[in-house]
Amino acid sequence: MGASEENSALFPIFVLTLMALPLVPYTIVNLFGAFKKKAAKINCQCSISNFSTYSNLTLVLLWVVMAVLVYYIKQISTEVQIFEPFSILGLEYGASDSEIKKAYRRLSIQYHPDKNPDPEAHSYFVEFISKAYQALTDPISRENFEKYGHPDGRQGLQMGIALPQFLLNIDGASEGILLLGIVGVCIILPLTVSVIYLSRSSKYSGNYVMHSTLATYYHLMKPSLAPSKVMDVFIKASEFMDIPVHRSDEEPLQRLFVLVRSELNLDLKNIRQEQAKFWKQHPALVKTELLLQTQLTRETAALSPTLQRDFRRVLELAPRLLEELMKMANIPRPPVGHGWLRPAIGVVELSQSIVQAVPLSARKAAGASSEGYAPFLQLPHFSEAVVKKIARKKVRTFQDFRDMTPDERADLLTQVAGFSNGESHDVEMVLEMMPSVRIDITCETEGEEGIQEGDIVTMHAWVTLNRGSGLIRALPHCPYFPFDKEENFWLMLADSFSNDVWLSQKVSFMDEATSIIAVSKTIQESKEGSGASAREINVAVKEAIEKVKNGSRLVMGKFQAPAEGNYNLSSFCLCDSWIGCDAKSNIKLKVMKRSRAGTRGGFAADETPAMEDGIEEDEEEEEEDFDDYESEYSEDEEDTKETKSKGAVANGSAHNKGNSSGSDESGSEAD
């Protein structure tokens, strides 16, 4: 019984150990990640801050439970007592037999069961007093005590199970229940969890997006999809359709509808019919669009507690769903194997607006600004009224504002916009973190002079990122977005006139080590293929590594040269997190008639972009009429003619240091 009680007392220690094994390293990793994110974030004094996450609250709660367990264990823990017969009988070491007998009689009167009915007195008398007297009077017991320190002889090591007492005190009838419990916990439960996990994981792609969502995005993507219509495709993801709609949501959604109605592209001439048509949609579509518009208009204060949870869920899913939607816009389509530029730009613009909580209507071109006043709204303390005030001082575009010196901006904000010095400092901090991108791009046929029709053309692009703060990797300033969002860039080589995307690749600056490994391998293979010496290869690799450390990333891709002719292409580097920080440059590509022997047509099997499983080609293309705001990249024939007149651009190469959308340079990561 004593051993059983001792084992039961060890159960809290067992639980504490099980909790500490995963919790301590998980906490260390979280703290390390938090410090890294803190170093990458802006230290501005904006009144808006990101929400506390459930994972952090759970982590704190688990540590509180551990603290309670430690306190409880400390209270119940008892020191191991060494058996000392002389001390138990109240005698000094070496007492005579007569003194031992007298002490035993005295204690018997006090603790003997016949004299004292207390159970604890009886236990003390049997376990300690009797054994102590026996150890000092019985020859064998005394010999055992002198040799082994205990009257019963050598004491073996006792092993026990740290389980609660109720599991140890079982009778024959309870053994079956205990066996079933063990089988259920150790066998049935793990199997059930495994089956559920495998059945759910089979529905998702590698980016944790449902296959049904990819199929929907593929079929709904159209070459003429306007930026304002991208939202209609985006909300049809299966993940959003699975968000439950309760009857209690009806009234809060009605209130949200009133607040965001101006952003829903409803025809004001037939407003009643338009409203009725909107509410006739699937309830999940209505809920998702209203929650997204709530983010864009910054009306989150109107959300009920239930909608707040769904709102966070929608925003949590948004980045990876937008990434897959971008891939569906850029995926090669027959007959020429190109993606579509217009919807790709619309997806990036929607991503920027969601991260920065800027309404799509703010992107309408106004005056000299092709992107409207949207870029200003991502700065702290800015509003449409502030933009109008500074516009009177001939600051018409966001690029004009960025080109000013810090002192000129401070004077403008304090004297014209009425900002305090602290608010002006917040704006300056954010501007220092905004990226600027420079693109150096060349297209050539490896090992050949010029580009001939049917050649496999290799694109080399160095994308260089600069910030006023000097940082390369950083998290964007997005206080209205409740999750940490990494900056990502999309580099696209496209024909703006034909709406074709020839090449596209995602670029990120967050992992320098991976970029160094990738660029080293790429440069080495390229130089070895051209027959360079080992010394030349080492020099080229060192130069490439130094570029990566200074904020550049190498992007490479291959495409098949089209038919003979001159092509005015554009390279786009679009940021998914900042508005007005995209870069664009023009490339003049001259393709000559084939004169070399042999055929160079066709991609290798591993170079052909793979189509997602379960997605079939939708051959029908629907042209849509729409009343849409102009994207900052919308072009017509006049733009194409202007590109031709810009003059000397080397065949297949371009060097861009400016920014057509509001920033001079911006950065991205090399893959």
Side-chain angles (χ1 to χ4, degrees):
M1 183 67 182
S4 173
E5 292 177 353
E6 184 178 353
N7 292 334
S8 181
L10 294 175
F11 182 67
I13 302 177
F14 177 69
V15 174
L16 180 65
T17 305
L18 289 180
M19 290 183 62
L21 284 175
L23 187 59
V24 171
Y26 180 74
T27 303
I28 293 174
V29 170
N30 270 18
L31 290 176
F32 180 72
F35 283 122
K36 289 178 67 177
K37 290 174 183 176
K38 184 178 180 181
K41 284 186 178 179
I42 304 171
N43 187 25
C44 75
Q45 304 298 321
C46 298
S47 58
I48 305 296
S49 61
N50 285 342
F51 300 94
S52 298
T53 61
Y54 289 116
S55 60
N56 290 338
L57 294 176
T58 304
L59 194 63
V60 172
L61 181 61
L62 289 174
W63 275 107
V64 170
V65 173
M66 282 191 64
V68 172
L69 280 174
V70 170
Y71 177 77
Y72 175 73
I73 291 169
K74 186 178 179 181
Q75 293 296 108
I76 67 171
S77 62
T78 57
E79 229 178 89
V80 178
Q81 297 182 355
I82 301 175
F83 185 76
E84 290 287 352
F86 289 103
S87 177
I88 294 173
L89 296 177
L91 300 172
E92 294 183 359
Y93 189 79
S96 62
D97 292 343
S98 60
E99 290 175 335
I100 293 172
K101 292 178 180 179
K102 288 180 181 179
Y104 176 71
R105 292 192 192 98
R106 184 180 71 252
L107 293 174
S108 298
I109 295 173
Q110 185 177 355
Y111 291 101
H112 196 280
D114 295 338
K115 306 293 184 180
N116 190 340
D118 188 358
E120 291 186 3
H122 176 243
S123 176
Y124 183 72
F125 180 80
V126 173
E127 295 292 333
F128 293 94
I129 297 175
S130 296
K131 285 189 177 182
Y133 178 72
Q134 182 182 11
L136 297 178
T137 56
D138 183 71
I140 298 176
S141 298
R142 186 152 190 166
E143 182 182 357
N144 287 335
F145 171 70
E146 291 175 352
K147 281 185 177 182
Y148 308 112
H150 198 280
D152 294 334
R154 186 191 298 273
Q155 298 296 297
L157 179 64
Q158 292 185 351
M159 302 293 290
I161 303 175
L163 293 176
Q165 187 65 33
F166 70 89
L167 288 179
L168 298 175
N169 296 335
I170 58 175
D171 52 18
S174 304
E175 290 179 356
I177 299 176
L178 180 61
L179 179 61
L180 289 176
I182 294 174
V183 171
V185 172
C186 298
I187 300 177
I188 298 178
L189 181 61
L191 286 176
T192 304
V193 172
S194 300
V195 170
I196 294 174
Y197 172 77
L198 292 174
S199 62
R200 290 186 176 181
S201 61
S202 62
K203 300 178 182 178
Y204 292 86
S205 65
N207 198 23
Y208 301 103
V209 175
M210 297 179 71
H211 292 296
S212 55
T213 296
L214 299 180
T216 300
Y217 282 172
Y218 184 85
H219 289 294
L220 293 178
M221 186 63 62
K222 303 298 177 185
S224 60
L225 191 66
S228 65
K229 303 296 182 182
V230 172
M231 174 76 80
D232 297 336
V233 177
F234 175 60
I235 62 176
K236 289 182 171 61
S238 299
E239 286 84 349
F240 293 150
M241 301 296 288
D242 290 342
I243 295 178
V245 181
H246 307 286
R247 288 188 176 181
S248 58
D249 294 337
E250 183 176 351
E251 185 177 347
L253 290 176
Q254 289 282 358
R255 291 198 297 266
L256 289 182
F257 176 80
V258 174
L259 294 173
V260 305
R261 179 168 48 190
S262 60
E263 296 292 326
L264 295 176
N265 293 324
L266 302 179
D267 186 2
L268 298 179
K269 296 179 181 179
N270 302 305
I271 189 64
R272 290 187 178 179
Q273 292 86 341
E274 289 288 309
Q275 289 184 11
K277 182 180 178 182
F278 177 81
W279 288 104
K280 285 181 179 178
Q281 298 180 95
H282 191 285
L285 296 178
V286 172
K287 184 174 185 177
T288 302
E289 184 168 5
L290 290 178
L291 291 178
L292 285 171
Q293 293 293 352
T294 300
Q295 166 70 3
L296 298 178
T297 56
R298 303 181 182 180
E299 296 287 354
T300 54
L303 293 172
S304 65
T306 304
L307 289 182
Q308 184 70 249
R309 291 193 297 271
D310 295 333
F311 172 75
R312 288 178 57 85
R313 178 60 178 164
V314 168
L315 294 187
E316 183 182 18
L317 292 169
R320 60 176 179 263
L321 291 177
L322 285 166
E323 180 178 340
E324 294 302 320
L325 188 59
M326 183 67 173
K327 292 178 182 178
M328 291 299 107
N330 288 326
I331 192 170
R333 311 271 182 147
V336 292
H338 293 159
W340 297 322
L341 178 62
R342 184 172 177 80
I345 291 174
V347 173
V348 174
E349 291 180 352
L350 178 59
S351 175
Q352 295 171 351
S353 296
I354 290 176
V355 172
Q356 294 295 340
V358 172
L360 295 175
S361 60
R363 306 187 74 120
K364 291 182 179 179
S369 176
S370 61
E371 68 265 13
Y373 62 90
F376 290 96
L377 296 184
Q378 61 193 337
L379 300 177
H381 319 299
F382 261 74
S383 64
E384 184 178 359
V386 173
V387 177
K388 290 180 179 179
K389 288 180 181 179
I390 65 175
R392 300 190 189 110
K393 298 296 181 180
K394 297 183 179 180
V395 181
R396 303 300 174 84
T397 67
F398 188 64
Q399 189 59 41
D400 293 340
F401 186 71
R402 293 189 71 182
D403 289 341
M404 299 173 70
T405 65
D407 291 339
E408 290 174 341
R409 279 194 295 265
D411 292 340
L412 177 69
L413 293 177
T414 53
Q415 296 176 14
V416 178
F419 281 21
S420 65
N421 291 332
E423 292 173 336
S424 176
H425 178 69
D426 288 345
V427 174
E428 202 62 38
M429 292 287 290
V430 174
L431 288 173
E432 288 182 356
M433 291 301 298
M434 295 186 74
S436 295
V437 173
R438 183 178 72 251
I439 309 173
D440 297 322
I441 185 170
T442 59
C443 296
E444 60 184 3
T445 302
E446 295 181 352
E448 303 287 353
E449 292 185 3
I451 300 174
Q452 297 185 7
E453 55 185 4
D455 283 354
I456 301 302
V457 182
T458 302
M459 179 197 74
H460 293 80
W462 280 100
V463 183
T464 304
L465 178 144
N466 294 292
R467 303 182 201 270
S469 63
L471 292 176
I472 297 176
R473 61 176 300 275
L475 298 179
H477 177 261
C478 47
Y480 292 92
F481 196 77
F483 302 97
D484 290 324
K485 173 70 176 67
E486 293 185 354
E487 286 180 352
N488 290 306
F489 296 80
W490 287 92
L491 180 66
M492 296 186 295
L493 181 65
D495 187 337
S496 301
F497 183 74
S498 65
N499 194 36
D500 290 334
V501 176
W502 292 26
L503 280 178
S504 67
Q505 190 165 333
K506 179 183 173 183
V507 187
S508 173
F509 280 84
M510 300 304 291
D511 191 350
E512 182 181 281
T514 302
S515 298
I516 289 176
I517 295 172
V519 76
S520 300
K521 182 179 179 181
T522 301
I523 296 296
Q524 183 175 354
E525 291 177 350
S526 176
K527 290 296 182 181
E528 288 176 350
S530 62
S533 64
R535 183 176 180 181
E536 291 174 335
I537 293 174
N538 290 335
V539 171
V541 169
K542 287 181 179 179
E543 290 178 353
I545 291 175
E546 191 63 28
K547 280 188 174 183
V548 171
K549 291 181 178 179
N550 291 332
S552 296
R553 299 293 184 265
L554 176 63
V555 180
M556 293 184 62
K558 295 185 178 183
F559 61 91
Q560 187 172 8
E564 177 187 6
N566 294 324
Y567 296 86
N568 295 311
L569 305 179
S570 299
S571 64
F572 297 86
C573 190
L574 309 180
C575 180
D576 70 349
S577 303
W578 294 96
I579 302 175
C581 296
D582 306 323
K584 175 186 174 184
S585 62
N586 298 317
I587 305 171
K588 187 175 181 180
L589 189 69
K590 182 178 181 180
V591 180
M592 300 177 292
K593 187 175 182 179
R594 170 156 293 284
S595 62
R596 292 190 286 269
T599 176
R600 305 175 63 88
F603 286 99
D606 57 346
E607 294 171 349
T608 304
M611 190 177 297
E612 294 287 344
D613 294 340
I615 299 180
E616 299 178 357
E617 173 61 23
D618 185 0
E619 298 179 354
E620 297 181 359
E621 295 184 359
E622 300 176 1
E623 295 294 333
E624 301 178 6
D625 295 326
F626 47 80
D627 181 14
D628 179 36
Y629 69 87
E630 283 296 316
S631 168
E632 55 197 276
Y633 299 105
S634 298
E635 294 190 8
D636 52 20
E637 294 183 6
E638 294 181 2
D639 297 328
T640 306
K641 293 177 182 178
E642 182 180 349
T643 300
K644 293 180 180 178
S645 67
K646 286 185 178 179
V649 179
N651 180 32
S653 66
H655 308 281
N656 164 263
K657 196 174 181 178
N659 188 346
S660 66
S661 59
S663 75
D664 292 332
E665 303 167 341
S666 173
S668 286
E669 168 180 54
D671 290 1

